[in-house]
Amino acid sequence: MELVQSSKHGMSILFSHHYSSLTYSGTDFLTKPIFLRGLSGSLHLVLLSVLFISWLCKKFKAGHIEGPKEKFKNKGGLYCKQTLICCFGVSVFSLVLCLLNYFYWYRNGWSDEGLMTLLDLALRTLAWGSVCVYLRAQLFNSAKSKYPFLLRVWWGFYLCSSCYCLAIDVVLYRKHVNLPVQYSVSDVVSVVSGFFLCYVGYFGKNEDEHTLLEEPLLNGNSSGSNEAESSKSKGVDTVTPFSSAGFFSNLTLSWLGPLIALGNKKTLDLEDVPQLAPGDSVVGAFPVFRNKLEAECGTLNNVTTLKLVKALLFFAWKEILLTALYVMIYTLASYVGPYLIDNFVQYLNGRRQYKNEGYVLVSVFFVSKLVECIAQRHWFFRLQLVGIRVRSVLATMIYDKGMTLSCQSKQGHTSGEIINLMTVDAERIGDFGWFMHDPWMVLVQVAVALLILYKNLGLASIAAFVATVLVMLANYPLEKFQEKFQDKIMESKDKRMKATSEILRNMRILKLQGWEMKFLSKIAKLRETEAGWLKRYVYANAMTTFVFWGAPTFVSVATFGACMLMGIPLESGKILSALATFRILQEPIFNLPDTVSMIAQTKVSLDRIVSFLRLEDLQFDTIEKLPRGSSNTAIEIIDGNFSWDLSSSNPTLKDINLKVQHGMRVAVCGTVGSGKSSLLSCILGEIPRISGTVKLCGTKAYVAQSPWIQSGKIEENILFGKEMERMRYERVLEACSLKKDLEILSFGDQTLIGERGINLSGGQKQRIQIARALYQNADIYLFDDPFSAVDAHTGSHLFRECLLGLLSSKVVIYVTHQVEFLPAADLILVMKEGKITQAGKYNEILNSRTDFMELVGAHKKALSELDSAEAGSVSESTNMSKDIGDMDITDGVVEKKENKDVQNGKTDDVVGSKGQIIQEEEREKGKVGFLVYWKYISMAYKGALVPCVLLAQVLYQILQIGSNYWMAWATPISQDVKPAVSSSTLIGVYVALAIGSSLCILVRSLVLFTAGFKTATILFNKMHLCIFRAPMSFFDATPSGRILNRASTDQSAVDFNIPYQVGAFAFAMIQLLGIIAVMSQVAWQVLIVFIPVIATCIWYQQYYMPSARELTRLVGVCKAPVIQHFAETISGSTTIRSFDEESRFRDINLKLTDAYSRPKFNAAGAREWLCFRLDMMSSITFFFSLVFLIFIPEGVIDPGIAGLAVTYGLNLNIAWVIWVLCQMENKIISVERILQYTSIPSEPPLEIEENRPDHSWPPNGEVDICDLQVRYAPHMPLVLRGLTCTFLGGMKTGIVGRTGSGKSTLIQALFRIVEPAVGQIIIDGINISLIGLHDLRSRLSIIPQEPTMFEGTIRSNLDPLDEHTDGQIWEALDKCQLGDKVREKEGKLDSTVSENGENWSVGQRQLVCLGRVLLKKSKSLPLHIE
């Protein structure tokens, strides 16, 4: 109390009216305060004018000349930061003095000296604030070594005038003239700041001024390059300052300052973002989590949802407890205001309980707001950190599980579904951190609220409790609805993503067949199902929002109604306290729908992840691995029975007995579907074992029948994790005949391979696969028909150099259909119906006249038929020689020219990364344009619903303010004052206003979610249409992970988040304007504070957004590699396991996961960094508004209305508005990314009405190719160079050439997958470039190099357009030798086909592709790529 009294005494001295005691008669005019303040004000007015003129000149020059900007790299000698702080401090100090003087003279009357002093202080505030802005915006972005001359001159004048004023103060003090204390304090501050500014202005020296002269002359551009290098490696080498930040830095989140400052100077890249601390990195966190989970459930197959939740809680228990403490502090601090409002109203009404009560109340209000702000910011940041860690460890666990799944489990869960678990479900569980504490926090808030209500309203608080319980009970049915709809949405989305993933993988075959629009309609149907559940979900959400937004009003109506019935008197102070309490209760009640929804979504996601983790793994005990060199036998299988489907009564492999010694070559042959690939799988341990033993001695390498190539460089694919040994590497390239291919490629072995090797021919992919195996230098090699994708010459070279050469001392087991490779084998295994029917050397089993002889006989018969066909066509070819002579000559010239160019190395080289087919993902930079927002809000119904949403929100705010204003005005201040209206009128009007506001919210919610749903549907349809109509070059250059990311994550944001974010911004903005209106109506002076505070908040937001925007974009860009790597791992898991490379791939996944978490972590920290500072601004504004109110003389304003202003001031949250704006801009990036894909250049039209060919076209099938030149992209070299030839109709024409010579490219040009750069192709007199793509492709057929089957049925694979009868389909199946196999299946034509046709052998898939061609025989030109 003494401290308060002494401060009161000090204030009275500070503002004592001593102006009259200055004896002007004895003192010169130059010593008068009015002159001194006028001089100071004039000096600052001059400064303001100069700065304004300077700004205008800069703007004028900027409009004419845009020169390069060079920033100060080092200004240590100029004390730039200190100068900025000094100027800002003087501005703030002047503002505080200005406000204090204003309060004093407002209460005690004005004088000339007072007005002049106030004007001087106001000019000081503006002038020094302008200097701050000038220094920050102009000087720090220039390369000047000194401060501007005029500024330094002005600082000199400022110091002189300040010294003069201080000298006058000293003289008057010695003459015992009483002078106001604020004069002396102001003059001392001015002198100190003037000395500092003059020192830095006249004596400060830029330390970087001569550094360039001191650098070595040879480092001509060293500074720039070194800076770039250090900037690039900074984030990679630096651990986030969060891990070592001090108390104050942690408290204010200042450790993020350097990154945000860097984002203002340059566009942030991933290299600029620091590494996570070891405990937050998934590398450090995942082992801890895995140990916790294994302690709970032993193995993953025994995990349950409850055990997973327990493991997650124990994993992050420290942060959870710490955030729980923050939540408790925040909750208690937030109720201090409502608790004290009644006291404040009574204080304003003149009922003072003790001296200086006003100052104490203001201080308590202010401190509680500060504590609330700090607790909330750290609560949010820590929970986001927990969310990032949880998401990372769950995604890693899903990845690890995906690598060990058994074949049967993988068939039940496609790659699209598994990717969804990682991208959506793990993400959602991580986001649940935001809502983790809400359930118990609601209970605490309700309990505290009831205590406050009981203090103010007595037993009426029971009615509030009952109403609140009713609201809570309404959660149960709502939660069930939310959970059901969310579950259905996720199921539908899984199916859609699964189909999308499969379609993207096989887009080439869809375009070749002209089926892409049919499959687009399939995606559209799946989306319709998803959209049906989404529509139910968003409307349920709208109703939930309406119910809960009306809940606080319902509680207040019930409480005040109970007061009226019980006869409890209502006073404005108690009413305002209750209203403030209800407004705080609004937050958990508003958030309750989201919490309920999030709990439902999280439970669904947890259940989905648990069901995946419980799937059956591979049998790791299938193979008994012997120590290397411990046995002469490399492979031994004794009485082996194996089956892909353990529930089937017919095993895949039966009675397998095999013994292979070290150094043996074993050939495996047999008809299609006989079990050859399954035999290799059983040696690899991939197929489940029913009985028997498998022993393996030594390391193994595997070459799959369908090549598996990773995205990345060719060199990385060959090395496959091994160190580079140049001699061995060159030897392998030579053996695999890859050197010539690498010479042709612009970047050699540094060429980037597209997804699934999209920019390589089938033969090149196969040879890279073989090279990868050879480089491993393993003991056992397993080759699954490796020579089928290469020409005969290359195949012979590979067999001779690889199997007979480099691998002569190794165990080699090779599956082959080529009889010429069999005699070299030490042992030949003949397979039939899953059994080894014969085993022995070539001559031995050839003479046994059994299955093997049939195979060899069939091979010889096919060759003889070919020979006879060739002989029969000799006369025809002789007669036609005249017609095709030109072709032979021209083609020969071209061939020679191409060979010569290749030999001389004269290929079209493209310098730089632009020559690579795979480019970095496109990332917008800078501010999200207004056009993106406009397109989003105007997309649905041309924006007609936007005014409806805004009008409903404005009406809601007006009615809310009106109802609260009514209660504050109509209720008496105390019991001894007569009420203005009766109790029934009071409650009746309040209820009417409450119902009106609730209806507004209902309209707003329905209209907002309707517009959001319609916009999401339009964006989805536009993006998918553009993707499906994109040329094949787009899919070659774009990894499917990028497209899936937009179709999954970004589309989810558009479906669920963005409508809410846009609505929240409109609500927050309108609410802020409402609060400002209420507070300004009570005391207009608060606008004096609002204007600079809002300006500061906007500056902070502008300062923060460049970094936040780029961090958010980096999150999107860094997510695609995680998805892509996961998808590649799932598809190549057999190859990865066969090379024992699981640990390396897990490490890559950990690095990619951390690379995704880094920008996410810093983006979360940056949000809280901004919000902390904005909350401080809001608290300062609230503090000054309270100070204004306690200084307003009694009787000037109604205490009830003043209390209403305080009630609204408690909810003043400029940070919320800015934060919602930032969140909206961050989320709108998803719209920006989707819009990128709505502007993809399209293929030519599918049909051109004026150029449609006859139904019978092509009648003959004659193809004329004239000077054809083709390249895959404008920046890529020519692949076909001036090809001219004619293919006569009805002829079987073979296209031969070395691997990579352009055979596949010619076929693609015929189908217009790639458009000719020069030249034309004419089929039966029609230039194919002039007709529609579907008219062309539907008349041609193709058997692709890589056999493709889609998930579905045999019928849908053969006839996806439903154009043929069952009889025609059976006829085609019989012709391609598949009829009997399909008839054996239970479903016949409706027999299931799993993803990628995994439940059918590669040979059977190839026959299905043949069946498609046979079905189109009546109107097609069959083309067959060997």
Side-chain angles (χ1 to χ4, degrees):
M1 188 60 72
E2 290 178 6
L3 181 63
V4 174
Q5 289 175 349
S6 64
S7 66
K8 178 79 173 177
H9 180 62
M11 287 290 289
S12 65
I13 292 174
L14 182 65
F15 294 111
S16 59
H17 196 52
H18 286 305
Y19 304 118
S20 59
S21 57
L22 288 174
T23 53
Y24 295 141
S25 57
T27 307
D28 188 76
F29 174 72
L30 295 176
T31 63
K32 293 179 182 178
I34 194 168
F35 168 76
L36 296 176
R37 300 306 128 200
L39 174 66
S40 173
S42 303
L43 197 61
H44 285 87
L45 185 61
V46 168
L47 175 62
L48 268 175
S49 304
V50 169
L51 288 173
F52 181 68
I53 293 168
S54 170
W55 178 76
L56 285 179
C57 292
K58 288 271 185 187
K59 283 288 180 186
F60 179 74
K61 286 181 182 177
H64 291 77
I65 301 170
E66 285 287 338
K69 290 185 178 180
E70 193 178 335
K71 296 177 185 282
F72 259 146
K73 293 170 189 167
N74 182 6
K75 294 187 178 177
L78 292 181
Y79 300 102
C80 293
K81 287 185 179 178
Q82 293 86 340
T83 304
L84 195 64
I85 292 169
C86 177
C87 295
F88 182 71
V90 173
S91 179
V92 171
F93 176 75
S94 303
L95 175 64
V96 172
L97 276 183
C98 181
L99 293 173
L100 291 174
N101 277 285
Y102 171 81
F103 294 147
Y104 175 76
W105 284 310
Y106 186 83
R107 297 187 69 150
N108 297 289
W110 296 92
S111 66
D112 293 340
E113 290 87 351
L115 287 171
M116 184 56 71
T117 303
L118 202 64
L119 181 61
D120 171 39
L121 291 169
L123 286 170
R124 279 173 179 252
T125 302
L126 292 173
W128 287 106
S130 302
V131 170
C132 285
V133 174
Y134 173 78
L135 290 175
R136 183 73 186 81
Q138 301 292 332
L139 180 62
F140 288 6
N141 289 331
S142 73
K144 296 175 183 176
S145 58
K146 291 185 177 180
Y147 291 103
F149 174 73
L150 287 178
L151 186 62
R152 287 183 285 140
V153 169
W154 188 87
W155 281 344
F157 276 113
Y158 171 70
L159 176 62
C160 293
S161 67
S162 301
C163 290
Y164 173 72
C165 291
L166 185 61
I168 295 296
D169 292 343
V170 173
V171 169
L172 293 177
Y173 177 76
R174 288 190 173 181
K175 290 183 178 181
H176 304 290
V177 176
N178 290 324
L179 199 67
V181 174
Q182 77 266 30
Y183 283 1
S184 302
V185 173
S186 175
D187 292 338
V188 168
V189 170
S190 299
V191 168
V192 172
S193 59
F195 268 119
F196 172 75
L197 294 172
C198 284
Y199 171 76
V200 298
Y202 290 98
F203 303 105
K205 182 179 178 183
N206 183 12
E207 293 174 0
D208 197 47
E209 192 171 354
H210 303 295
T211 52
L212 287 175
L213 297 176
E214 297 167 8
E215 291 181 358
L217 288 174
L218 290 177
N219 284 351
N221 195 24
S222 63
S223 62
S225 62
N226 289 345
E227 186 180 351
E229 286 297 321
S230 63
S231 168
K232 190 170 183 179
S233 61
K234 183 179 178 183
V236 177
D237 298 334
T238 310
V239 175
T240 175
F242 171 66
S243 58
S244 57
F247 173 77
F248 182 77
S249 179
N250 252 326
L251 186 71
T252 60
L253 299 163
S254 301
W255 53 269
L256 265 162
L259 183 64
I260 295 172
L262 182 64
N264 265 274
K265 294 175 185 173
K266 66 182 284 286
T267 301
L268 288 179
D269 293 312
L270 187 61
E271 291 82 7
D272 302 314
V273 182
Q275 297 286 345
L276 297 173
D280 299 323
S281 164
V282 70
V283 177
F286 181 66
V288 177
F289 171 70
R290 186 179 53 208
N291 293 338
K292 300 278 185 192
L293 188 60
E294 287 174 356
E296 283 291 327
C297 56
T299 62
L300 285 183
N301 299 75
N302 298 327
V303 70
T304 62
T305 304
L306 181 61
K307 288 177 180 177
L308 180 60
V309 170
K310 281 176 68 178
L312 288 170
L313 291 174
F314 283 123
F315 167 65
W317 69 270
K318 289 181 182 176
E319 287 82 2
I320 292 171
L321 287 181
L322 183 61
T323 50
L325 178 62
Y326 286 137
V327 169
M328 185 60 76
I329 293 171
Y330 164 79
T331 303
L332 296 176
S334 66
Y335 276 109
V336 170
Y339 184 81
L340 293 176
I341 281 180
D342 188 29
N343 301 64
F344 195 77
V345 170
Q346 298 307 324
Y347 171 83
L348 294 178
N349 195 35
R351 293 170 62 182
R352 316 285 166 89
Q353 297 182 14
Y354 50 86
K355 286 185 179 180
N356 304 310
E357 184 185 0
Y359 298 127
V360 172
L361 287 172
V362 169
S363 300
V364 174
F365 271 119
F366 182 57
V367 170
S368 67
K369 286 292 284 183
L370 291 182
V371 171
E372 179 186 340
C373 154
I374 293 168
Q376 186 181 40
R377 298 282 62 91
H378 285 275
W379 159 29
F380 282 0
F381 173 66
R382 292 279 178 173
L383 279 185
Q384 287 178 85
L385 176 56
V386 171
I388 290 169
R389 291 175 62 195
V390 165
R391 190 211 67 81
S392 297
V393 296
L394 285 177
T396 305
M397 182 175 297
I398 293 165
Y399 179 90
D400 289 356
K401 181 69 178 182
M403 194 177 279
T404 61
L405 278 183
S406 67
C407 182
Q408 196 169 3
S409 299
K410 198 182 288 186
Q411 285 181 14
H413 286 72
T414 62
S415 57
E417 290 175 351
I418 301 171
I419 287 168
N420 251 3
L421 291 173
M422 179 185 274
T423 57
V424 178
D425 294 294
E427 199 85 42
R428 181 172 292 124
I429 294 168
D431 290 341
F432 181 69
W434 284 98
F435 305 88
M436 185 182 298
H437 296 298
D438 284 8
W440 69 263
M441 186 179 75
V442 169
L443 299 176
V444 174
Q445 287 180 318
V446 169
V448 176
L450 289 174
L451 290 174
I452 295 173
L453 290 173
Y454 184 76
K455 169 187 172 284
N456 291 315
L457 304 176
L459 291 176
S461 59
I462 296 173
F465 175 71
V466 171
T468 306
V469 169
L470 289 175
V471 170
M472 301 298 175
L473 289 175
N475 279 322
Y476 183 74
L478 289 168
E479 183 182 356
K480 285 299 176 187
F481 273 121
Q482 297 274 20
E483 187 173 351
K484 177 187 173 185
F485 294 150
Q486 184 64 35
D487 205 1
K488 294 293 185 182
I489 289 170
M490 291 310 300
E491 280 180 22
S492 308
K493 185 175 182 179
D494 274 348
K495 290 177 183 174
R496 174 174 64 83
M497 289 307 300
K498 180 176 164 185
T500 305
S501 178
E502 185 176 49
I503 287 168
L504 291 176
R505 276 198 308 275
N506 301 301
M507 185 58 78
R508 186 177 298 276
I509 188 65
L510 294 185
K511 288 195 174 288
L512 287 169
Q513 299 282 5
W515 292 344
E516 67 267 39
M517 300 315 290
K518 171 70 176 178
F519 278 78
L520 175 59
S521 66
K522 180 181 175 182
I523 295 292
K525 284 181 182 175
L526 291 170
R527 173 65 182 181
E528 275 178 29
T529 306
E530 182 186 352
W533 292 111
L534 179 64
K535 194 172 187 178
R536 293 183 181 92
Y537 177 85
V538 296
Y539 282 122
N541 215 12
M543 294 306 297
T544 306
T545 304
F546 160 65
V547 169
F548 283 103
W549 279 51
T553 308
F554 167 68
V555 174
S556 59
V557 167
T559 307
F560 297 148
C563 288
M564 185 185 72
L565 293 173
M566 294 178 182
I568 298 171
L570 293 173
E571 301 171 14
S572 59
K574 297 183 185 303
I575 288 285
L576 290 171
S577 178
L579 287 175
T581 304
F582 294 143
R583 285 181 71 84
I584 291 179
L585 265 180
Q586 269 185 321
E587 183 187 345
I589 292 178
F590 281 0
N591 289 337
L592 212 51
D594 292 330
T595 305
V596 171
S597 172
M598 198 64 191
I599 290 172
Q601 293 176 35
T602 305
K603 184 179 182 301
V604 170
S605 293
L606 283 166
D607 290 342
R608 283 159 49 85
I609 289 175
V610 165
S611 66
F612 176 72
L613 295 177
R614 290 174 65 90
L615 289 175
E616 184 185 359
D617 286 326
L618 281 170
Q619 294 178 2
F620 291 105
D621 60 345
T622 301
I623 299 175
E624 182 184 337
K625 292 185 179 179
L626 304 175
R628 194 174 183 182
S630 63
S631 171
N632 293 326
T633 304
I635 302 167
E636 186 175 12
I637 305 175
I638 303 169
D639 297 330
N641 289 280
F642 305 87
S643 179
W644 289 112
D645 184 4
L646 291 174
S647 61
S648 172
S649 59
N650 186 25
T652 309
L653 296 175
K654 292 162 276 194
D655 303 324
I656 303 296
N657 287 279
L658 176 64
K659 191 171 186 178
V660 181
Q661 304 293 334
H662 285 289
M664 283 182 66
R665 279 190 299 275
V666 180
V668 183
C669 58
T671 57
V672 171
S674 60
K676 302 182 297 298
S677 298
S678 296
L679 180 64
L680 296 188
S681 295
C682 86
I683 296 171
L684 291 170
E686 294 291 320
I687 183 169
R689 183 186 62 183
I690 298 173
S691 62
T693 58
V694 181
K695 295 179 181 178
L696 209 66
C697 180
T699 57
K700 58 190 184 301
Y702 172 62
V703 176
Q705 191 172 8
S706 299
W708 177 74
I709 302 292
Q710 275 187 283
S711 302
K713 296 175 183 174
I714 291 175
E715 181 190 275
E716 292 169 353
N717 268 276
I718 295 173
L719 297 181
F720 207 55
K722 297 286 185 184
E723 292 293 325
M724 167 63 83
E725 291 182 27
R726 181 54 63 181
M727 291 284 291
R728 175 154 49 121
Y729 183 73
E730 294 295 332
R731 204 161 59 245
V732 166
L733 291 181
E734 185 66 45
C736 294
S737 194
L738 278 170
K739 285 205 167 183
K740 287 186 179 179
D741 298 272
L742 296 181
E743 287 169 7
I744 293 170
L745 294 171
S746 302
F747 294 88
D749 62 359
Q750 300 303 304
T751 300
L752 286 175
I753 301 175
E755 192 173 22
R756 301 183 310 280
I758 203 80
N759 51 330
L760 298 175
S761 71
Q764 287 170 331
K765 284 188 275 189
Q766 191 66 281
R767 283 182 288 126
I768 288 172
Q769 230 195 172
I770 294 170
R772 176 173 63 206
L774 292 180
Y775 192 81
Q776 299 300 305
N777 195 25
D779 301 317
I780 301 167
Y781 283 84
L782 306 175
F783 292 90
D784 194 352
D785 203 6
F787 311 119
S788 59
V790 296
D791 57 78
H793 173 75
T794 305
S796 299
H797 175 86
L798 289 172
F799 188 78
R800 185 175 62 253
E801 296 296 326
C802 298
L803 273 70
L804 302 182
L806 290 179
L807 304 181
S808 58
S809 62
K810 308 285 185 179
V811 174
V812 180
I813 300 179
Y814 59 98
V815 172
T816 185
H817 290 281
Q818 287 146 303
V819 175
E820 60 268 26
F821 296 141
L822 295 178
D826 299 318
L827 177 66
I828 297 173
L829 304 177
V830 182
M831 301 284 300
K832 187 176 182 180
E833 296 178 357
K835 293 182 179 180
I836 299 175
T837 56
Q838 283 181 280
K841 288 186 176 291
Y842 182 79
N843 291 326
E844 292 173 4
I845 59 176
L846 184 62
N847 297 327
S848 61
R849 298 187 175 273
T850 51
D851 299 325
F852 181 68
M853 191 171 180
E854 289 177 17
L855 285 171
V856 175
H859 179 71
K860 288 180 177 177
K861 184 180 178 184
L863 287 175
S864 64
E865 285 177 359
L866 273 175
D867 291 339
S868 63
E870 287 174 5
S873 62
V874 168
S875 58
E876 289 183 40
S877 60
T878 305
N879 294 333
M880 292 189 314
S881 61
K882 185 178 179 181
D883 296 330
I884 64 174
D886 292 338
M887 177 201 76
D888 291 335
I889 295 166
T890 311
D891 199 13
V893 171
V894 173
E895 184 66 34
K896 286 176 185 175
K897 183 181 177 184
E898 287 182 0
N899 288 341
K900 187 177 178 183
D901 285 348
V902 171
Q903 287 165 10
N904 295 336
K906 294 179 182 176
T907 55
D908 292 347
D909 196 5
V910 182
V911 179
S913 65
K914 286 289 179 187
Q916 301 280 20
I917 191 166
I918 304 298
Q919 301 293 325
E920 275 192 38
E921 181 168 4
E922 183 181 351
R923 169 163 72 106
E924 299 287 347
K925 297 192 176 181
K927 189 175 183 181
V928 177
F930 174 74
L931 190 61
V932 175
Y933 292 96
W934 179 249
K935 281 183 178 178
Y936 179 77
I937 64 175
S938 63
M939 194 163 285
Y941 310 105
K942 297 185 178 179
L945 297 183
V946 175
C948 300
V949 174
L950 294 176
L951 181 62
Q953 191 65 61
V954 169
L955 284 175
Y956 166 78
Q957 194 64 36
I958 290 171
L959 291 171
Q960 278 283 299
I961 292 172
S963 62
N964 294 336
Y965 198 95
W966 166 258
M967 294 299 287
W969 174 81
T971 51
I973 295 294
S974 58
Q975 294 183 24
D976 52 357
V977 178
K978 184 180 178 182
V981 296
S982 65
S983 298
S984 57
T985 306
L986 177 74
I987 298 298
V989 172
Y990 184 72
V991 169
L993 292 171
I995 292 172
S997 65
S998 298
L999 288 175
C1000 287
I1001 279 300
L1002 177 61
V1003 171
R1004 168 202 174 267
S1005 301
L1006 290 173
V1007 173
L1008 175 66
F1009 286 113
T1010 299
F1013 174 75
K1014 182 69 174 176
T1015 304
T1017 303
I1018 293 171
L1019 280 172
F1020 178 90
N1021 292 336
K1022 278 189 174 183
M1023 178 177 72
H1024 279 75
L1025 178 62
C1026 286
I1027 289 171
F1028 275 70
R1029 291 287 293 116
M1032 201 60 221
S1033 58
F1034 169 76
F1035 299 97
D1036 291 345
T1038 308
S1040 62
R1042 295 182 192 172
I1043 304 172
L1044 291 172
N1045 204 359
R1046 284 166 171 83
S1048 176
T1049 308
D1050 292 318
Q1051 188 63 45
S1052 285
V1054 173
D1055 287 342
F1056 296 103
N1057 302 113
I1058 295 177
Y1060 170 77
Q1061 291 292 343
V1062 172
F1065 174 69
F1067 165 65
M1069 197 69 201
I1070 292 166
Q1071 186 185 48
L1072 177 65
L1073 293 174
I1075 291 171
I1076 292 173
V1078 170
M1079 294 178 72
S1080 302
Q1081 189 263 342
V1082 173
W1084 64 267
Q1085 296 90 341
V1086 80
L1087 287 173
I1088 298 170
V1089 183
F1090 263 120
I1091 292 168
V1093 165
I1094 289 176
T1096 305
C1097 289
I1098 291 170
W1099 180 86
Y1100 263 122
Q1101 190 262 347
Q1102 296 293 321
Y1103 182 70
Y1104 153 85
M1105 273 316 297
S1107 303
R1109 195 185 304 119
E1110 297 311 320
L1111 286 169
T1112 304
R1113 284 176 176 146
L1114 281 173
V1115 169
V1117 169
C1118 292
K1119 190 171 187 177
V1122 178
I1123 299 171
Q1124 185 182 342
H1125 178 69
F1126 189 26
E1128 284 186 345
T1129 302
I1130 292 169
S1131 62
S1133 57
T1134 301
T1135 301
I1136 294 167
R1137 285 192 293 266
S1138 69
F1139 285 90
D1140 296 322
E1141 288 289 327
E1142 297 98 319
S1143 61
R1144 183 171 68 86
F1145 273 76
R1146 288 192 182 103
D1147 290 342
I1148 293 171
N1149 178 61
L1150 295 178
K1151 287 176 184 175
L1152 290 173
T1153 303
D1154 270 344
Y1156 171 55
S1157 298
R1158 277 160 56 197
K1160 201 173 179 69
F1161 165 80
N1162 284 280
R1167 275 195 298 272
E1168 302 313 321
W1169 177 92
L1170 174 70
C1171 289
F1172 175 81
R1173 280 144 185 79
L1174 299 183
D1175 279 341
M1176 289 293 114
M1177 294 292 108
S1178 299
S1179 300
I1180 290 167
T1181 307
F1182 181 56
F1183 169 75
F1184 277 115
S1185 67
L1186 292 176
V1187 172
F1188 277 127
L1189 290 174
I1190 65 171
F1191 275 102
I1192 292 175
E1194 291 179 25
V1196 172
I1197 190 169
D1198 183 356
I1201 303 302
L1204 180 66
V1206 176
T1207 305
Y1208 274 87
L1210 285 170
N1211 291 280
L1212 175 64
N1213 198 345
I1214 302 171
W1216 172 245
V1217 180
I1218 301 295
W1219 187 82
V1220 169
L1221 173 63
C1222 296
Q1223 278 290 90
M1224 184 174 70
E1225 183 162 351
N1226 288 341
K1227 289 291 183 185
I1228 208 77
I1229 288 171
S1230 290
V1231 175
E1232 180 186 64
R1233 283 163 57 81
I1234 288 175
L1235 287 174
Q1236 278 179 353
Y1237 276 26
T1238 60
S1239 56
I1240 303 167
S1242 179
E1243 278 188 312
L1246 299 176
E1247 294 173 352
I1248 301 173
E1249 288 300 326
E1250 59 271 20
N1251 281 338
R1252 298 206 68 176
D1254 293 338
H1255 290 293
S1256 60
W1257 182 84
N1260 301 318
E1262 182 172 309
V1263 181
D1264 289 312
I1265 300 174
C1266 307
D1267 190 27
L1268 184 65
Q1269 298 182 27
V1270 173
R1271 54 164 50 96
Y1272 280 102
H1275 60 267
M1276 301 289 285
L1278 284 170
V1279 180
L1280 298 180
R1281 310 179 187 186
L1283 186 65
T1284 300
C1285 61
T1286 300
F1287 302 143
L1288 297 181
M1291 296 286 292
K1292 297 182 180 67
T1293 305
I1295 302 173
V1296 295
R1298 287 182 57 80
T1299 300
S1301 61
K1303 303 186 297 295
S1304 298
T1305 303
L1306 175 58
I1307 299 301
Q1308 291 187 66
L1310 283 169
F1311 282 82
R1312 289 177 64 191
I1313 294 296
V1314 287
E1315 295 287 338
V1318 178
Q1320 60 184 4
I1321 300 174
I1322 297 171
I1323 299 179
D1324 282 350
I1326 293 180
N1327 185 344
I1328 64 171
S1329 296
L1330 301 180
I1331 62 174
L1333 290 180
H1334 273 192
D1335 284 334
L1336 170 67
R1337 293 169 182 170
S1338 63
R1339 313 299 172 90
L1340 308 180
S1341 289
I1342 187 167
I1343 300 175
Q1345 233 170 357
E1346 294 180 14
T1348 303
M1349 289 182 76
F1350 303 94
E1351 188 173 12
T1353 63
I1354 288 290
R1355 186 198 309 276
S1356 66
N1357 267 275
L1358 286 167
D1359 183 28
L1361 303 184
D1362 295 326
E1363 294 178 334
H1364 302 282
T1365 63
D1366 284 5
Q1368 291 172 317
I1369 295 173
W1370 280 116
E1371 184 184 352
L1373 284 171
D1374 287 331
K1375 284 181 179 179
C1376 64
Q1377 308 297 313
L1378 265 181
D1380 293 338
K1381 190 73 176 176
V1382 174
R1383 287 186 183 93
E1384 289 174 9
K1385 301 280 184 180
E1386 189 177 338
K1388 304 291 191 291
L1389 289 179
D1390 293 320
S1391 300
T1392 57
V1393 176
S1394 65
E1395 188 180 24
N1396 298 325
E1398 293 291 341
N1399 57 336
W1400 296 77
S1401 74
V1402 175
Q1404 289 167 338
R1405 285 179 240 165
Q1406 193 77 62
L1407 293 176
V1408 169
C1409 294
L1410 175 62
R1412 290 182 191 137
V1413 172
L1414 295 174
L1415 270 178
K1416 294 171 73 174
K1417 63 180 179 179
S1418 59
K1419 52 183 179 181
S1420 67
L1421 174 68
L1423 295 165
H1424 184 178
I1425 303 178
E1426 289 290 351

